[in-house]
Amino acid sequence: MHKVTLIRGDGIGPEITEATLRIIGAAGVKIDWDEVIAGQEAEIKHGMPLPAETKASIARNGVALKGPLTTQVGKGFRSINVALRQEFNLFANFRPVKSFHGIKSLFQDIDIIVIRENTEDLYSGVEHKIGEDAAESIKIITRKASEKIAEYAFNYAVHHGRHKVTAIHKANIMKLSDGLFLESVKTVAERYPQIDCNDLIVDNAAMQLVLNPYQFDIILAPNLYGDILSDLCAGLIGGLGLTPGANIGDGVSIFEPVHGSAPDLAGKKVANPTAMILSAIYLLRYLGEAKAAGRIEKALAAIIREGHFITPDLNGKSSTMEMAEAIIMRME
Ligand code: NAI
């Protein structure tokens, strides 16, 4: 039996996790969930947002399914999402953005993968106040991490029939840091002549994505730009309720939706479980449960296409659990 760490998360986390666990159970996959807590819940119960037992569980199992964790804006403890990525050197944040048939969104037939460097950049947490009226955040970019994420992206492209990698940067302004990222990507690209490689300045990339997203295949970005552009990409296909993610390291992987804890929806039981279900589908494939993953994926696509049991963010009327139950009923 597989043993997987489970963190239900804050806000809508427990609701979308419960829906996802029911679906995995109905697909017949036996998983021994090693349930631990983090974030606000852990802060309240243990006085620390990332308890040692949570880290130990992830280290022991090497794989986790995680709901979103709340991080307060401008105060409070440092992001536990960022802390986990740094703790386990989960260097790649893999965020596929694929259209579903049946959703009225800005674009149809989008199929873009955002690959985001996940450990450094402005997320390194090196920041301080300078007196009362100034503050400084330090952007860290290293050749090692940049080449590692570029290698991951090109290698992924080769093994998954992808043809193009677009590197995102602002090296016209941050000539040293983003310049180093771009230089590292170009070095790695030389080893993959079969994959097209181009680069775009991030502001132009944002506009190009809205004007003509079909020009993109794999987007390769440092941490901050990857974070922003992956939300933008989610908007192209119908919103954050639809986009899954995986944080990949050497020997440890954490699967989680792109979206956050959505405090505006928490407790209302209407959050879209799709991003969490898709994250779990990637987890199942990682565990070698491709057949069950395929069955869930097919049923999910059918339920969204038919549109009778979808959540309000997709203009439906169903609750999180009604959508999950419909997916279970639809599984072949
Ligand atoms: P958010 O992603 O939680 O919400 C943004 C918007 O998308 C909201 O309107 C929300 O209702 C909607 N949305 C998100 N997920 C949805 C779903 N499954 N179904 C339907 N609608 C959905 O981003 P926000 O509001 O900026 O952040 C809220 C909290 O989440 C913050 O504390 C933030 O730090 C945290 N966060 C955590 C992440 C993680 O755990 N990986 C990632 C992003 C944010």
Side-chain angles (χ1 to χ4, degrees):
M1 197 190 305
H2 309 288
K3 189 145 190 183
V4 177
T5 298
L6 178 69
I7 301 171
R8 291 179 190 253
D10 299 318
I12 59 170
E15 301 160 39
I16 57 173
T17 303
E18 191 53 38
T20 303
L21 294 186
R22 276 210 210 168
I23 292 170
I24 294 174
V29 183
K30 298 267 178 286
I31 297 181
D32 178 8
W33 297 105
D34 189 5
E35 190 164 345
V36 290
I37 58 173
Q40 277 188 333
E41 190 186 356
E43 172 81 358
I44 292 163
K45 281 194 183 148
H46 302 304
M48 56 179 82
L50 185 53
E53 169 48 23
T54 300
K55 288 192 270 187
S57 167
I58 297 170
R60 202 164 50 233
N61 299 320
V63 57
L65 180 64
K66 173 187 160 298
L69 299 173
T70 297
T71 312
Q72 283 184 298
V73 174
K75 57 181 179 183
F77 55 78
R78 266 192 75 205
S79 164
I80 298 309
N81 304 308
V82 173
L84 284 171
R85 293 164 189 169
Q86 290 173 347
E87 171 83 21
F88 294 104
N89 194 25
L90 305 174
F91 64 91
N93 195 336
F94 174 83
R95 297 181 154 186
V97 183
K98 199 162 189 296
S99 295
F100 281 92
H101 292 296
I103 293 178
K104 287 193 188 68
S105 52
L106 287 173
F107 295 93
Q108 303 297 320
D109 298 319
I110 298 290
D111 185 4
I112 298 171
I113 293 179
V114 179
I115 295 180
R116 163 188 173 197
E117 201 290 322
N118 217 13
T119 59
E120 50 182 36
D121 195 355
L122 278 162
Y123 290 62
S124 300
V126 187
E127 58 174 7
H128 51 257
K129 290 284 285 276
I130 305 171
E132 275 309 301
D133 300 320
E136 198 171 54
S137 298
I138 297 180
K139 175 173 167 117
I140 295 174
I141 300 283
T142 64
R143 190 182 303 279
K144 191 174 171 200
S146 303
E147 287 193 1
K148 190 161 176 137
I149 192 67
E151 186 67 44
Y152 178 87
F154 283 95
N155 188 44
Y156 182 89
V158 167
H159 289 98
H160 294 84
R162 298 277 171 167
H163 63 276
K164 182 177 168 191
V165 172
T166 302
I168 308 297
H169 61 89
K170 187 85 186 173
N172 53 330
I173 306 297
M174 282 159 279
K175 294 174 193 292
L176 300 184
S177 53
D178 280 13
L180 178 58
F181 178 80
L182 186 57
E183 184 189 317
S184 305
V185 173
K186 286 184 175 168
T187 304
V188 173
E190 281 176 15
R191 297 202 285 273
Y192 294 88
Q194 70 275 46
I195 305 294
D196 289 345
C197 179
N198 69 338
D199 67 274
L200 284 179
I201 293 174
V202 61
D203 34 357
N204 182 23
M207 182 197 67
Q208 296 289 344
L209 270 165
V210 175
L211 273 184
N212 175 19
Y214 303 106
Q215 65 186 290
F216 294 94
D217 186 10
I218 291 180
I219 291 176
L220 168 60
N223 211 335
L224 178 62
Y225 310 144
D227 194 1
I228 295 168
L229 292 185
S230 55
D231 270 34
L232 191 158
C233 288
L236 300 177
I237 65 161
L240 278 168
L242 298 170
T243 45
N247 301 283
I248 311 285
D250 297 316
V252 177
S253 296
I254 300 180
F255 296 82
E256 63 174 343
V258 168
H259 65 72
S261 54
D264 52 332
L265 296 182
K268 295 185 180 157
K269 300 187 175 7
V270 292
N272 187 344
T274 302
M276 188 68 165
I277 296 167
L278 286 174
S279 302
I281 286 172
Y282 278 95
L283 163 75
L284 292 179
R285 295 218 164 94
Y286 180 85
L287 296 174
E289 297 283 357
K291 197 158 166 239
R295 285 175 64 212
I296 298 172
E297 194 169 42
K298 215 168 143 206
L300 171 65
I303 290 304
I304 292 180
R305 192 175 57 241
E306 290 159 8
H308 305 305
F309 296 99
I310 53 175
T311 45
D313 58 307
L314 303 180
N315 294 320
K317 290 194 169 60
S318 298
S319 69
T320 308
M321 208 46 95
E322 281 165 353
M323 184 168 173
E325 298 292 353
I327 293 165
I328 291 170
M329 296 295 285
R330 201 68 167 67
M331 260 195 291
E332 289 167 6

